[in-house]
Amino acid sequence: MESGDAARPGSGQATGAPPPRLLLLPLLPLLLGRGLRVAAAASASSSGAAAEDSSAMEELATEKEAEESHRQDSVSLLTFILLLTLTILTIWLFKHRRVRFLHETGLAMIYGLIVGVILRYGIPATSGRDKSLSCTQEDRAFSTLLVNVSGKFFEYTLKGEISPGKINSVEQNDMLRKVTFDPEVFFNILLPPIIFHAGYSLKKRHFFRNLGSILAYAFLGTAVSCFIIGNLMYGVVKLMKIMGQLSDKFYYTDCLFFGAIISATDPVTVLAIFNELHADVDLYALLFGESVLNDAVAIVLSSSIVAYQPAGLNTHAFDAAAFFKSVGIFLGIFSGSFTMGAVTGVVTALVTKFTKLHCFPLLETALFFLMSWSTFLLAEACGFTGVVAVLFCGITQAHYTYNNLSVESRSRTKQLFEVLHFLAENFIFSYMGLALFTFQKHVFSPIFIIGAFVAIFLGRAAHIYPLSFFLNLGRRHKIGWNFQHMMMFSGLRGAMAFALAIRDTASYARQMMFTTTLLIVFFTVWIIGGGTTPMLSWLNIRVGVDPDQDPPPNNDSFQVLQGDGPDSARGNRTKQESAWIFRLWYSFDHNYLKPILTHSGPPLTTTLPAWCGLLARCLTSPQVYDNQEPLREEDSDFILTEGDLTLTYGDSTVTANGSSSSHTASTSLEGSRRTKSSSEEVLERDLGMGDQKVSSRGTRLVFPLEDNA
């Protein structure tokens, strides 16, 4: 049986030969080794083929996921573009129908809310739940993780902390994740054009007329509002703790931080209505100036509060050394940011003055745009605040660089930043409406929300009324009660408060702040913004005012700011109302900075000492000597100085005392003051009472008048 079985494989074997099994025995180890190798090779071949198939499938799946992610990115961006398009069309309809109860930003928020509801409840989840991996050996979170999955490394980035109670409710809808933007997008892309446009479009004439009051409201008022709101909210937090409504830590520094970010006013709705109705220019200047500087102060103040680090174990207790360190940080950041913005503007002015870029308007506009935007990023990279830097860069660009630009570039830069400001602002407000339903970490606390509304009202009142009282003690032209009530009413919250709140939502306290800030913005834009027009009528504030003309002195609703009696001459109004701080440096600016940085101003050879003659000739623009074209200073403002001025009309020079002579220079200064003569009054009347624009071949200035009051 065995021999038969063994002979079965070999059919051509001779009779009498040894059994095949015996022949195979010496070869058994070799055959076994070869068989094992063949089997191993076959197994390796099959496993290699399987690995290749698996790798191909993984690559295919990865490509499919990337394609799907790209499609969702396109859909999310398309959603916002459609939101802006719908907002623009509705704005046109509202303007056509003269509807003023709802501003464009309120419309953008409503459309954002509608789309947020659709995305939240109308689109099913499109991704499976991720598996939770435990890393109990680590004591901190990492910003980036490299995970080894079957020999392949995958990179994961930190999205934020999730409380244990919400671990099972993490949003799995990929579309909702896509429309949730990184907060840095707001700071680095959307905020710069908004803040720069505020500085670049600043009406300096009315701004500097009320500069002292604006600085007081912006700096001192914001600090007062911050500490009042912070302390009141700390009391609310203590009440929540007693009532058991506080589920996590909420420190005093968190309350102060909330007071800082919520003190950033953004009365965009009120100012838009003011601009459309041509409301009183001084009230507009006070509100606009306060909101522009207030944003800068609020962001620096919030950074200083975050930097507050007391020594010892209790990092949230009061420490005098840490407090003064925070004050020093505030002053250092603000002054450094201010300097960086001003220097960037000066560099741009010098480049546009001493090059022939005006021959190529496209290159000129592109350089202006890049230099202005880079100011924000440069300040952030150096540890300063980009908002402050880009604000003062815009003011410097408007004051100096604008005069060096070609006519085409002036129009382009104005329109470019106006469009960017409009789109960025409406994008942010649309995202606010969207975030109410798409943001995954909302913490709604009715007690905290109600307390925040009360604290904001009291903080704004303490901001406006006491400061106005003290300011009126030193102002010749008082800030009337109707103006104070309107400023109190106009303390809306907007884009800056939202951007500061969404920048850090890692902790329980910050999440509650963000949710409350969002609701406050909704309320102030919709309710307070919609009541602006009735409030103007109720407070009897003038509308239909030409911003370039002073109102008649007998207008009752403006008399509180116009003068103390009919003997106040309108011709010397600018001198009386311009802040003394500004008047101190204006002469230096006109005599030295303007000639150095622009094509306007008196020749430096007439203002610098004789030993600086070579430097003066190098820095003075050739247009000043040749007088072959009008000196470009159309964006300047009329500010009265302490010296008499001389204007050139063609080749004839007319001085403040009425004399005329042949002269080739465009402007000159006389140091002595003269009393007003009859010829001066005639000249003053011909020039529009000393406060109107003068078109001449020289620098546009205003004749100084004696203060008879």
Side-chain angles (χ1 to χ4, degrees):
M1 187 71 180
E2 291 180 359
S3 62
D5 291 340
R8 195 174 299 159
S11 59
Q13 295 176 344
T15 58
R21 181 174 52 182
L22 298 177
L23 293 175
L24 290 176
L25 285 176
L27 299 176
L28 187 59
L30 178 63
L31 293 176
L32 287 176
R34 183 180 296 177
L36 290 175
R37 287 195 296 270
V38 170
S43 175
S45 176
S46 61
S47 62
E52 290 180 359
D53 292 341
S54 176
S55 177
M57 293 296 293
E58 288 180 2
E59 291 179 359
L60 184 62
T62 302
E63 292 178 358
K64 187 176 180 180
E65 289 179 0
E67 183 179 353
E68 180 67 18
S69 177
H70 173 72
R71 186 187 67 83
Q72 291 178 353
D73 288 336
S74 301
V75 172
S76 63
L77 291 177
L78 178 63
T79 301
F80 285 102
I81 291 177
L82 292 178
L83 275 175
L84 293 176
T85 303
L86 186 60
T87 302
I88 291 173
L89 293 176
T90 312
I91 291 170
W92 168 81
L93 181 62
F94 274 39
K95 289 184 179 293
H96 181 69
R97 300 294 182 181
R98 299 184 182 276
V99 177
R100 297 193 180 95
F101 67 87
L102 186 63
H103 187 248
E104 59 199 42
T105 55
L107 282 172
M109 294 170 68
I110 291 176
Y111 289 141
L113 282 171
I114 295 174
V115 174
V117 171
I118 295 174
L119 292 177
R120 183 72 178 182
Y121 302 106
I123 298 180
T126 56
S127 67
R129 186 168 301 280
D130 298 330
K131 181 180 179 181
S132 299
L133 298 178
S134 177
C135 300
T136 56
Q137 296 180 354
E138 302 297 335
D139 57 354
R140 65 184 182 91
F142 297 92
S143 59
T144 303
L145 283 180
L146 292 178
V147 180
N148 186 350
V149 181
S150 301
K152 294 184 178 180
F153 289 89
F154 298 89
E155 181 181 2
Y156 294 84
T157 56
L158 180 66
K159 295 281 291 185
E161 182 183 1
I162 301 174
S163 61
K166 296 185 178 181
I167 191 65
N168 295 321
S169 61
V170 177
E171 187 52 59
Q172 293 299 307
N173 193 322
D174 288 336
M175 191 61 194
L176 292 183
R177 288 181 175 179
K178 292 293 183 182
V179 297
T180 304
F181 284 96
D182 189 337
E184 294 303 316
V185 171
F186 292 97
F187 262 79
N188 296 330
I189 297 178
L190 298 178
L191 276 185
I194 295 176
I195 303 300
F196 182 86
H197 178 264
Y200 194 53
S201 62
L202 186 69
K203 296 183 181 296
K204 295 188 295 293
R205 174 190 175 195
H206 307 292
F207 178 82
F208 288 117
R209 174 182 294 171
N210 300 278
L211 181 62
S213 301
I214 290 172
L215 291 176
Y217 286 128
F219 283 87
L220 187 58
T222 304
V224 169
S225 175
C226 169
F227 282 98
I228 288 180
I229 294 175
N231 283 279
L232 290 175
M233 293 311 299
Y234 188 63
V236 172
V237 168
K238 288 294 186 182
L239 178 62
M240 292 173 60
K241 188 175 182 180
I242 295 173
M243 298 178 64
Q245 299 293 319
L246 201 63
S247 59
D248 208 337
K249 297 177 181 179
F250 208 119
Y251 297 106
Y252 178 67
T253 51
D254 293 326
C255 297
L256 288 180
F257 180 82
F258 178 73
I261 65 174
I262 208 64
S263 295
T265 59
D266 186 17
V268 56
T269 304
V270 176
L271 293 176
I273 295 175
F274 279 13
N275 190 48
E276 184 178 353
L277 296 177
H278 298 289
D280 191 281
V281 290
D282 285 291
L283 177 60
Y284 183 94
L286 288 171
L287 274 175
F288 181 78
E290 181 212 353
S291 66
V292 167
L293 295 179
N294 164 273
D295 288 346
V297 174
I299 189 172
V300 179
L301 192 59
S302 62
S303 300
S304 302
I305 293 173
V306 171
Y308 177 78
Q309 293 293 337
L313 297 177
N314 191 354
T315 58
H316 296 275
F318 178 77
D319 189 329
F323 172 77
F324 287 110
K325 181 181 178 181
S326 296
V327 173
I329 291 174
F330 173 85
L331 297 176
I333 292 178
F334 195 93
S335 58
S337 304
F338 166 79
T339 303
M340 189 166 290
V343 167
T344 307
V346 167
V347 170
T348 310
L350 291 173
V351 171
T352 54
K353 176 183 178 180
F354 291 105
T355 61
K356 298 294 183 180
L357 276 174
H358 64 271
C359 300
F360 306 94
L362 179 61
L363 299 180
E364 189 178 38
T365 305
L367 178 68
F368 183 92
F369 173 80
L370 293 176
M371 291 291 289
S372 302
W373 201 304
S374 64
T375 304
F376 183 92
L377 300 177
L378 179 62
E380 292 289 334
C382 294
F384 296 110
T385 300
V387 170
V388 179
V390 79
L391 170 64
F392 287 100
C393 176
I395 296 175
T396 307
Q397 301 279 43
H399 193 58
Y400 298 114
T401 310
Y402 183 86
N403 298 306
N404 301 334
L405 301 178
S406 61
V407 176
E408 187 175 353
S409 293
R410 295 183 190 184
S411 176
R412 282 181 177 179
T413 55
K414 288 283 188 181
Q415 294 175 359
L416 173 64
F417 281 101
E418 186 176 6
V419 171
L420 290 176
H421 164 265
F422 173 81
L423 292 177
E425 190 169 60
N426 281 277
F427 184 94
I428 290 179
F429 279 94
S430 297
Y431 186 78
M432 288 184 196
L434 203 68
L436 187 63
F437 292 97
T438 61
F439 186 70
Q440 304 175 19
K441 304 174 184 178
H442 280 303
V443 177
F444 291 94
S445 175
I447 298 178
F448 191 87
I449 294 171
I450 296 174
F453 275 99
V454 175
I456 288 172
F457 177 81
L458 296 178
R460 184 68 179 173
H463 176 176
I464 296 298
Y465 294 116
L467 274 181
S468 300
F469 172 78
F470 289 110
L471 288 172
N472 282 336
L473 296 179
R475 285 177 62 104
R476 174 183 296 271
H477 308 290
K478 313 300 181 184
I479 301 175
W481 283 106
N482 55 346
F483 280 20
Q484 296 180 39
H485 296 328
M486 194 67 212
M487 293 179 68
M488 169 69 189
F489 179 80
S490 303
L492 282 74
R493 271 63 179 178
M496 180 57 68
F498 173 79
L500 289 173
I502 199 176
R503 197 173 191 182
D504 182 7
T505 56
S507 65
Y508 169 82
R510 298 297 176 88
Q511 294 166 10
M512 187 183 294
M513 293 180 203
F514 173 73
T515 303
T516 305
T517 301
L518 202 58
L519 296 177
I520 290 172
V521 172
F522 287 161
F523 177 83
T524 56
V525 171
W526 288 338
I527 306 301
I528 298 181
T532 300
T533 303
M535 185 63 68
L536 284 172
S537 176
W538 185 64
L539 294 176
N540 194 28
I541 295 176
R542 292 186 325 124
V543 295
V545 180
D546 185 355
D548 293 325
Q549 282 187 341
D550 289 330
N554 58 355
N555 190 298
D556 295 335
S557 64
F558 191 73
Q559 190 67 33
V560 291
L561 278 180
Q562 272 300 102
D564 297 327
D567 58 340
S568 298
R570 187 176 66 172
N572 57 4
R573 179 168 182 252
T574 306
K575 178 180 177 180
Q576 294 171 350
E577 291 190 353
S578 297
W580 63 271
I581 300 175
F582 181 70
R583 295 201 306 267
L584 287 179
W585 79 274
Y586 177 77
S587 178
F588 174 80
D589 174 65
H590 174 73
N591 292 338
Y592 303 104
L593 296 183
K594 279 290 183 69
I596 292 175
L597 301 176
T598 70
H599 297 292
S600 60
L604 289 171
T605 52
T606 63
T607 57
L608 289 177
W611 56 271
C612 297
L614 179 61
L615 180 63
R617 285 190 294 272
C618 292
L619 295 178
T620 303
S621 176
Q623 288 93 328
V624 175
Y625 295 110
D626 299 337
N627 201 21
Q628 294 177 354
E629 61 180 80
L631 297 180
R632 296 176 293 187
E633 201 179 356
E634 286 82 354
D635 200 43
S636 299
D637 303 286
F638 293 94
I639 304 295
L640 298 176
T641 64
E642 297 295 331
D644 289 341
L645 305 176
T646 307
L647 276 177
T648 299
Y649 295 89
D651 294 330
S652 178
T653 300
V654 183
T655 61
N657 61 2
S659 62
S660 64
S661 61
S662 178
H663 205 287
T664 58
S666 62
T667 61
S668 64
L669 289 170
E670 295 180 4
S672 60
R673 297 176 58 89
R674 293 182 173 85
T675 57
K676 200 188 298 185
S677 62
S678 59
S679 57
E680 285 181 79
E681 297 174 354
V682 174
L683 181 58
E684 182 183 326
R685 183 175 62 252
D686 293 338
L687 296 179
M689 298 305 293
D691 204 19
Q692 304 297 321
K693 280 191 174 181
V694 180
S695 297
S696 70
R697 300 185 62 185
T699 302
R700 299 180 302 111
L701 298 171
V702 173
F703 292 85
L705 306 174
E706 291 293 337
D707 189 357
N708 297 327

